[in-house]
């Protein structure tokens, strides 16, 4: 056990010595050469970092794949003598001020990767080497799906430092903004306001993770945000990133360890680093001590501004003017309209809070910023925006519009069903009484009585009173039944049915009127006439019955 601990300690010291040599070999600035790192010098400690890299050559790879056998020990012995280089350079895909980006192939894992190689012009600068190593170390320790993942870091045969990382096929956020601004239809259809806000949220959560590890990016901008062809959102280029505070235990889950925190080179006080358009006021003034995670939040606010408007936050072109304007904290005007039409007041408020001059007045963490974006997308009140009562009601109804629509439709369906069912019930009830009234009028006694009075000369005069009373009783009972049905049919839908019903009742009472005339029953005649008049509309009564009554 003691032997293993001693062995691990010696290995740890050896690794620190290796990193130290990797950064201290450039101390000799007089010659400006790097002969010390030549692969011919087998005694150099840098040989530990060297990795075989070849230019694009299909012949070497095909020969290797033809001969290789997982089960042949002799073949593996041959490969030890002449191994296939780990990486194969395919093409250059980008170049910046510090390094170039190449597309490589990992011959062992058979996958495409991206690599960043420190430019020879930067190899003699302590600060450039330090930042290059820190970029690889910081990004390599920030294990988050939306932060570029680092696979390997080392030095090639030419003595150039490099690190490899995930290759993301896509385009920078800046290019997407430019294409929307140029109204390229496919891009406009794909990247709506909702999707752009979701991309921004993803960036915020990635930065929240980095800030939880006490790392600030210091160069957040649309060019450093890669949007993959399959929806990936990756925060790139951590070359200016800084670890806040002192180094902690190397295996601590809450700390990031780099050359700087392990006693390496220090940031120069008063140095301005970053891209002027996206710098916070304290960053533009070179106030390194005042910079913290809220400086990144300012940059996030500027990115959101550009995503919505398609414009830079400052109309100045001169770098010094931009720095002066930002450092003095001049108010930034947010236009009414942007790439997606009128910019909502909530988004204006979010931008305004994120780019406040004083860090204390900004969002205190990226999560709060992302959550306000989420509240806006869900039509909930945003924390930094003031609303009147009408606006709050509008937001409430708009937020719950689907639920309100569902409840409204359900209510309409239920009410409609209830109304139709009620009408059906009343109609059935009315027909029940009408059928009973019809049965009374269809009885043999009633028909016989009516037939008796229709004869002009009837010898059986002694039965007149009996038949008359039968007609009178039947009509009264039928009328009572009809009245019950009539009460149940008093609705606008039943107007035609009611009119027909009233005409039938009028005809029945007309028969009673005729019988009363033959019986010379004045009261019965007047009663029948008044009932007929009350049943029918005035125009029908005058057209069909008034002459009959006058004649009688």
């Amino acid at each position: 056990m003691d032997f293993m601990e001693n062995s691990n300690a010696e290995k740890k010291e050896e690794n620190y010595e290796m990193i130290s040599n990797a950064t201290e070999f450039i101390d000799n600035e007089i010659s400006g050469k790097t002969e010390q790192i030549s692969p011919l010098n087998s005694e150099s400690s840098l040989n530990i970092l060297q990795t075989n890299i070849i230019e694009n050559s299909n012949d070497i790879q095909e020969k290797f794949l033809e001969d290789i056998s997982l089960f042949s020990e002799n073949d593996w012995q041959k490969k030890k003598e002449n191994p296939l280089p780990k990486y194969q350079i395919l093409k250059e895909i980008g170049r910046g001020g510090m390094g170039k980006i190449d597309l490589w192939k990992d011959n062992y894992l058979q996958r495409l990767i991206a690599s960043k190689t420190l430019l020879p012009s930067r190899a003699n600068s302590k600060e450039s080497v330090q930042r290059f190593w820190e970029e690889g170390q910081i990004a390599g320790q920030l294990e988050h799906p939306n932060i570029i993942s680092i696979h390997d870091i080392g030095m090639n045969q030419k003595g150039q430092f490099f690190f490899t990382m995930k290759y993301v096929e896509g385009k920078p956020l800046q290019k997407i903004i430019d294409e929307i601004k140029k109204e390229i239809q496919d891009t406009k259809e794909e990247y709506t306001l909702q999707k752009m806000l979701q991309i921004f949220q993803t960036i915020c959560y990635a930065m929240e993770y980095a800030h939880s590890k006490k790392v600030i990016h210091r160069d957040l901008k649309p060019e450093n945000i890669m949007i993959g062809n399959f929806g990936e959102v990756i925060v790139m280029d951590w070359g200016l990133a800084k670890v806040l505070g002192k180094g902690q235990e190397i295996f601590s889950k809450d700390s990031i360890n780099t050359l700087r925190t392990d006693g390496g080179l220090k940031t120069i006080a008063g140095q301005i680093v970053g891209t002027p358009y996206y710098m916070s006021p304290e960053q533009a003034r070179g106030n390194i001590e005042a910079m913290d995670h809220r400086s990144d939040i300012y940059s996030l606010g500027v990115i959101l501004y550009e995503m919505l408007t398609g414009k830079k936050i400052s109309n100045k072109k001169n770098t010094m003017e931009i720095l002066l304007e930002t450092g003095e904290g001049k108010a930034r005007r947010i236009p009414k309209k942007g790439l997606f039409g009128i910019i909502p007041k909530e988004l204006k408020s979010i931008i305004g809070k994120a780019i406040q001059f004083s860090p204390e007045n900004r969002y205190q963490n990226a999560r709060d910023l992302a959550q306000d974006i989420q509240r806006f997308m869900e039509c909930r009140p945003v924390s930094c925006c003031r609303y009147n009562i009408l606006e709050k009601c509008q937001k409430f109804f708009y937020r719950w519009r689907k639920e309100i629509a569902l409840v409204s439709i359900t209510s309409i369906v239920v009410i409609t069903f209830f109304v139709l069912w009620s009408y059906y019930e009343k109609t059935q009830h009315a027909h029940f009484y009408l059928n009973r009234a019809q049965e009374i009028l269809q009885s043999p006694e009633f028909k016989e009585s009516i037939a008796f009075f229709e004869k002009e000369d009837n010898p059986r005069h002694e039965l007149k009173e009996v038949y008359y009373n039968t007609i009178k009783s039947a009509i009264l009972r039928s009328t009572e039944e009809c009245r019950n049905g009539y009460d149940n049919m008093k609705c606008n839908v039943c107007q035609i049915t009611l009119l027909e019903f009233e005409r039938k009742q009028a005809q029945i009472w007309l028969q009673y009127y005729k019988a009363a005339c033959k019986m010379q029953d004045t009261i019965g005649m007047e009663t029948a006439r008044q009932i007929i008049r009350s049943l029918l509309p005035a125009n029908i009564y005058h057209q069909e019955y008034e002459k009959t009554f006058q004649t009688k």
Side-chain angles (χ1 to χ4, degrees):
M1 191 70 178
D2 294 337
F3 170 76
M4 291 181 64
E5 291 177 358
N6 293 334
S7 177
N8 290 336
E10 290 175 3
K11 186 65 177 175
K12 189 173 180 181
E13 290 176 5
E14 183 181 357
N15 288 341
Y16 277 120
E17 182 181 0
M18 176 186 67
I19 300 299
S20 178
N21 291 336
T23 55
E24 290 175 1
F25 80 96
I26 57 172
D27 284 345
N28 185 6
E29 298 183 356
I30 299 176
S31 63
K33 299 179 181 178
T34 59
E35 287 82 358
Q36 304 95 301
I37 62 172
S38 170
L40 300 176
N41 183 4
S42 60
E43 300 298 322
S44 172
S45 62
L46 290 175
N47 286 333
I48 301 172
L49 298 172
Q50 289 179 1
T51 306
N52 274 342
I53 301 171
I54 60 169
E55 299 292 336
N56 189 9
S57 176
N58 293 328
D59 295 338
I60 297 175
Q61 183 182 357
E62 289 174 3
K63 186 175 185 303
F64 179 81
L65 294 176
E66 287 174 4
D67 296 342
I68 192 169
S69 170
L70 293 175
F71 306 100
S72 173
E73 185 176 350
N74 293 331
D75 285 344
W76 279 112
Q77 291 296 333
K78 293 178 182 179
K79 295 309 166 188
K80 285 182 180 180
E81 298 172 1
N82 186 23
L84 176 71
K86 180 173 175 57
Y87 299 119
Q88 181 179 347
I89 301 174
L90 300 180
K91 63 178 180 178
E92 183 177 322
I93 56 178
R95 185 178 287 260
M98 182 179 293
K100 66 170 183 172
I101 308 297
D102 293 317
L103 179 63
W104 288 5
K105 183 177 182 180
D106 188 328
N107 289 321
Y108 293 174
L109 295 177
Q110 291 293 299
R111 67 175 176 179
L112 293 177
I113 58 174
S115 74
K116 185 172 183 178
T117 305
L118 187 66
L119 294 174
S121 60
R122 293 281 190 172
N124 290 334
S125 167
K126 282 187 176 181
E127 184 180 359
S128 296
V129 173
Q130 174 197 353
R131 284 183 177 170
F132 187 85
W133 275 85
E134 282 200 324
E135 178 179 1
Q137 291 174 327
I138 290 173
Q141 294 176 67
L142 291 175
E143 297 181 3
H144 189 277
N146 301 114
I147 295 176
I148 189 66
S149 56
I150 303 299
H151 301 320
D152 190 13
I153 189 167
M155 185 181 68
N156 61 21
Q157 302 96 315
K158 298 178 182 179
Q160 296 174 310
F161 291 109
F162 72 90
F163 58 79
T164 61
M165 51 191 166
K166 179 181 178 180
Y167 174 57
V168 182
E169 291 187 87
K171 46 190 173 183
L173 179 59
Q174 183 64 61
K175 187 175 181 181
I176 294 173
I177 295 172
D178 293 339
E179 289 181 0
I180 296 174
K181 190 176 180 181
K182 293 176 183 177
E183 297 191 350
I184 296 177
Q185 195 61 28
D186 291 342
T187 306
K188 286 188 69 177
E189 290 177 359
E190 182 178 1
Y191 293 96
T192 59
L193 174 61
Q194 187 84 358
K195 186 166 183 178
M196 293 293 272
L197 292 177
Q198 288 172 349
I199 289 173
F200 182 76
Q201 268 189 306
T202 305
I203 300 168
C204 289
Y205 283 118
M207 293 313 303
E208 175 67 13
Y209 171 78
H211 295 162
S212 72
K213 300 294 183 179
K214 299 183 180 179
V215 174
I216 57 175
H217 192 285
R218 299 200 298 178
D219 197 23
L220 284 172
K221 55 185 177 181
E223 290 92 336
N224 289 340
I225 310 296
M226 181 64 72
I227 310 300
N229 294 336
F230 299 96
E232 310 98 311
V233 180
I234 307 295
V235 181
M236 313 281 288
D237 199 351
W238 293 79
L240 297 182
K242 179 183 178 182
V243 181
L244 300 175
K246 298 179 180 180
Q248 301 179 27
E249 178 62 34
I250 192 168
F251 296 112
S252 172
K253 66 178 182 179
D254 296 323
S255 66
I256 298 296
N257 293 274
T258 67
L259 295 176
R260 189 189 308 274
T261 57
D262 288 336
L265 301 174
K266 304 296 182 181
T267 302
I268 300 173
Q271 186 180 29
I272 296 177
V273 292
T275 305
Y277 282 117
Y278 305 94
M279 287 184 183
S280 63
E282 58 272 18
Q283 192 173 356
R285 295 194 303 268
N287 189 358
I288 302 297
E289 297 299 325
M291 290 181 62
D292 56 18
H293 63 281
R294 293 172 295 185
S295 301
D296 280 346
I297 290 174
Y298 185 97
S299 301
L300 288 172
V302 178
I303 291 174
L304 180 59
Y305 176 95
E306 193 165 336
M307 291 173 73
L308 296 178
T309 65
K311 301 176 182 178
K312 300 296 182 186
I313 198 165
S314 174
N315 55 9
K316 306 292 184 183
K317 301 297 182 183
N318 182 275
T319 300
M320 188 55 66
E321 291 180 351
I322 297 171
L323 293 175
L324 288 173
E325 183 181 64
T326 304
E328 293 173 0
K330 292 185 178 179
R332 308 300 179 101
R333 180 180 172 273
I334 304 173
K336 292 183 179 180
K337 290 187 177 182
L339 296 176
F340 306 97
I342 296 176
I343 301 175
K345 61 180 289 187
E346 290 87 355
L347 294 179
K348 288 183 178 180
S349 299
I350 291 171
I351 295 172
K353 183 172 182 179
I355 62 173
Q356 285 289 315
F357 177 76
S358 174
E360 288 76 17
N361 295 331
R362 300 173 201 159
Y363 287 98
Q364 296 305 296
N365 55 71
R367 181 182 293 274
D368 291 344
L369 174 54
Q371 287 177 346
D372 257 356
I373 294 292
Q374 186 65 31
R375 291 187 187 99
F376 168 76
M377 291 193 293
E378 294 176 354
C379 296
R380 290 187 293 158
V382 173
S383 65
C384 61
C385 188
R386 294 183 178 180
Y387 301 94
N388 55 41
I389 296 177
L390 179 61
E391 289 172 332
K392 288 181 179 179
C393 292
Q394 288 176 341
K395 279 210 162 289
F396 175 82
F397 284 110
Y398 189 79
R399 179 190 174 191
W400 299 102
R401 61 191 182 280
K402 293 181 180 179
E403 290 78 3
I404 292 173
L406 180 61
V407 171
S408 301
I409 293 172
T410 305
S411 301
I412 291 172
V413 170
V414 170
I415 292 171
T416 303
F417 175 79
F418 178 77
V419 170
L420 293 176
W421 179 259
S422 177
Y423 167 70
Y424 173 78
E425 284 289 309
K426 286 184 177 181
T427 303
Q428 291 296 105
H429 195 65
H431 283 302
F432 171 77
Y433 285 106
L434 291 177
N435 290 334
R436 289 183 61 178
Q438 194 67 23
E439 288 175 0
I440 294 172
L441 298 178
Q442 294 296 326
S443 64
E445 296 83 1
F446 181 77
K447 288 183 177 180
E448 184 180 352
S449 301
I450 291 295
F452 176 83
F453 281 102
E454 287 180 350
K455 295 179 182 179
E456 294 183 359
D457 299 324
N458 196 317
R460 300 170 63 185
H461 295 288
E462 64 277 6
L463 296 177
K464 274 187 178 182
E465 190 71 26
V466 176
Y467 286 131
Y468 179 69
N469 290 332
T470 301
I471 292 173
K472 185 176 180 181
S473 174
I475 288 178
L476 289 174
R477 286 189 293 113
S478 175
T479 301
E480 184 66 25
E481 297 291 347
C482 287
R483 186 178 293 112
N484 293 330
Y486 180 85
D487 290 340
N488 283 280
M489 296 179 68
K490 282 187 176 179
C491 59
N492 294 330
V493 185
C494 307
Q495 287 302 318
I496 297 176
T497 306
L498 286 174
L499 183 59
E500 291 177 356
F501 163 75
E502 289 164 348
R503 282 189 168 183
K504 287 181 180 179
Q505 288 296 302
Q507 291 173 1
I508 292 170
W509 279 100
L510 181 61
Q511 291 177 341
Y512 176 77
Y513 177 81
K514 291 178 180 179
C517 288
K518 290 187 177 183
M519 292 294 296
Q520 297 181 355
D521 183 1
T522 308
I523 298 174
M525 293 168 56
E526 185 64 23
T527 301
R529 188 174 64 173
Q530 292 297 331
I531 291 175
I532 292 172
R533 189 168 188 174
S534 64
L535 286 172
L536 297 174
N539 59 336
I540 295 178
Y541 174 78
H542 291 305
Q543 290 176 6
E544 299 180 7
Y545 292 92
E546 192 171 20
K547 290 182 180 180
T548 302
F549 293 142
Q550 289 176 355
T551 303
K552 294 292 182 181

